[in-house]
Amino acid sequence: MEVLFNLLLLGGLVLLIIAAVQSVSSRTAFPEATLLALTGIALGLAYATFSTLWPEPAAALFEPLLSSGLPAEAYLWIFLPPLLFQAALSVDVREMVPDAAPILLLAVVAVFVATGMVGVSMWLLGGAGLTAGLLLGAVIATTDPAAVIAIFRNVGAPARLIRLVEGESLLNDAAAIAIVGVLVAALTGDAAAATWQAGAWALSIAFGGGLLFGALVGRLGAAALALIGNDGKAQTALTLALPYPVYLIGESLGVSGVVAVVAAGLVLSGLGRTRTSPVNWTHLQLLWGQIASLAGAAVFLIATLQVPRMLEGISLAWLPLLAVVVVATLLARLLVLFGFLPVLSRLKLSAPISASYKLAITWGGLRGAVTLVLALGIAEQTNLPEQVRHFVAILATGFVLFSLLINGSTLRPVIRALKLDQLSAQDSALQQQAIRLSTIEVESAVQRSAATFHIASSIVDAVNARYRRDMAIEAAPFDLDQALPERDRLAIALVTLATRERDLIPRYGSGVTNVRNLDAMMHNGGRMIDAARSDGRIGYNREARKILDPSIWLKFSTWMHRYLHLRWPLSLLLTDRFELLICRRAVLEELRDYNVKRLAPLFGKRMSALLDAVLDIRINSVDQVIREIEAQFGPRAYQLEYRMLRLLALRQSSESMEGMVADRLISQQVFDDVQRGLRRAWRDALNRPLLHRTPLSESQQRDYSTHHPMSPIDGKADSED
């Protein structure tokens, strides 16, 4: 009972402190991780001071924060799963795949290199034995996801640079924890687990098993999201239920719970968008973002509270050893980045990474709560020699403080000096054009507001002039055609168009079409984005045509129908194909409207006309295939179109009613009553007819004739060949 009381009190105090720190961070230039570290250390020092002067009041004030009754590794169990799950859930897996090789290099090889360099350095200097030095290296080899990701995003680092450090910080915990386990076994006399062969085997099982187990859970979770349907609360509850069981069951199976959680989050990120509605997916992301923010801040604060206790006995004699640790760690990262990464590029396993990126990654390898918790766990292991525990605790804590206070506070100037915060010529030109278009809308809004409040036109002119100065809009006219060559503008416009297409596709989920079609369209949309970036219009058109080609499964099912007289696989795949084409046609029409309203002002009328021509060719190609299927299957094809249109109508009705409730036009009771009727109609409309050439039943003919009076049914013409 006392432990529960302390935990609840600790949770409340930590949240209050986090709220204050986040508020200060948002108003200053200090990174949140650095402020949390300083706050935790300050509270720990205050306890050390007050406990000497006023022992009883100090114990009453600080004991709930400093003593929860939990072991150090419990903090990893509590806070690490949601933190890693959210980071993986927010990742665009498709964009991370091209950098899979360098991410794995940084997450696994870099950990071994850092462990070895730190261990050998300590051993050569006589600071500790080789095994103790390697243990220190393993503890400080893991970069902290909370510190790394937050700071890199706040300093405006490029997207690819963020993906590299994010992928590294998500996966390197497993390698570090596996090495720590082997070294602890060596120091405590467990000979069976202390060999390098045992360590390599443990790491491979941890990584491989964690990936497989997490991917399986992610697949099952995605299937469950689709099975639940459009119930946002149930889908949210399902995702909340995943991280802890995945982590704990993975650890009990002997695989890495960390890797399992990351793998589950990545798979769910790649599949979840087509299993939920866009509104529900956005809500999920916002909720998990808040959970991860609190989890990261809490574990950071709780860990740094222990810093003064872990630094007991430190003196100036430790500073040379700390300096060696810092230098060895930096050299290890430089060796991996400048020595090993170019090999991946030469083997064509990775696109080249610039020297500026490598230097930023070197300096941005921040350590934080994970390293502190690992060091605290070592300090609590009474079966280890006292000298080793003291050695690891002091140097690991000192290195974390150096990382946060020096690297973290200077990362923004470093990125600025490397010119990584500057936009490319293309992005800069588009930014200027976008600001100018936005300025027109802003000035019109100011004029309308001034008319509403009867404010003088001279004040309106002054406000608009000040706005132009604030946005640094030049007086000279800006010509996007002169700023960017047509080839570049067309490639950017096609990438924008393909990205918008991927965003529109999930709107046809929730039963309007099945997830197989949604996944196929999303995959094809991603390939169009990549092809437009690399090959422009030719690549875009090449990938866009591929989705119209019959799949290998459709060809195989046609063969089975022809020679084995097995009809249902062909009927199922033909139905899927027809639905996909209808949805594709609808998305293309929305893209045409998007091109006129949004892209034409940004890229110009000539570029908009080129995009419209590209869309027109795609629409005609889709229409041709749709007409062929309609001619072949007649009424059954129209039944599918009728079903999809009915579902869209029901969904639009539900969204319209939600808007009326929000505007207080109808009561919640009226809305709930209407929703019950809409849900019944939705379930009835979900029944999907299959495409095959057999006569319709009398009821189907009556229903079809009711909705298609100008299209008479001829059962004989629709009979089996």
Side-chain angles (χ1 to χ4, degrees), residues 543-562:
E543 294 300 330
R545 286 193 299 268
K546 285 184 178 180
I547 204 167
L548 301 180
D549 298 333
S551 68
I552 186 172
W553 297 112
L554 184 59
K555 295 177 181 177
F556 180 63
S557 64
T558 303
W559 180 88
M560 287 195 298
H561 177 256
R562 180 175 301 169

Side-chain angles (χ1 to χ4, degrees), residues 321-373:
L321 291 177
L322 178 59
V324 171
V325 170
V326 171
V327 172
T329 307
L330 290 175
L331 289 177
R333 288 183 74 78
L334 288 171
L335 174 62
V336 172
L337 289 164
F338 286 90
F340 296 168
L341 272 183
V343 176
L344 295 181
S345 300
R346 285 195 290 270
L347 294 175
K348 300 189 182 302
L349 296 174
S350 168
I353 297 175
S354 68
S356 298
Y357 275 35
K358 293 174 184 176
L359 291 173
I361 293 172
T362 300
W363 195 248
L366 306 177
R367 274 64 169 181
V370 176
T371 300
L372 284 176
V373 172

